[in-house]
Amino acid sequence: LRAECELQHTFGVARACFNLGEIAELRGDVACAWRLAWTARELFDAVGSPYRSYADELQQRLRADLSHVSETNVREWNLTQTIDWA
């Protein structure tokens, strides 16, 4: 994730966030997993990647446990702000 951020490679950051989201899910950190999946989905969408559907699926699995988490429009943020939130 650090390397992709340093390179300002949006797709790479999205992929790293998605992978970290899956790890967080497996560890039982649902809130973190949801934030990472949301971030990945928005970044995949920003670059027109079809991988957005994978992030959508991860979010759907997590959504029932996180009805209190608000969805933030990270598209307006720069890459650093997005990663800090996730």
Side-chain angles (χ1 to χ4, degrees), residues 1-58:
L1 179 58
R2 283 187 197 132
E4 298 291 7
C5 286
E6 287 176 17
L7 294 170
Q8 293 289 300
H9 187 242
T10 305
F11 176 80
V13 171
R15 186 181 53 218
C17 286
F18 176 76
N19 291 339
L20 290 169
E22 287 187 311
I23 291 168
E25 178 188 28
L26 291 172
R27 290 184 172 179
D29 190 346
V30 179
C32 180
W34 193 91
R35 287 191 310 271
L36 287 162
W38 175 261
T39 300
R41 190 187 85 176
E42 291 295 311
L43 293 174
F44 283 140
D45 194 47
V47 297
S49 172
Y51 289 144
R52 177 193 166 139
S53 64
Y54 296 117
D56 283 337
E57 290 172 17
L58 177 57

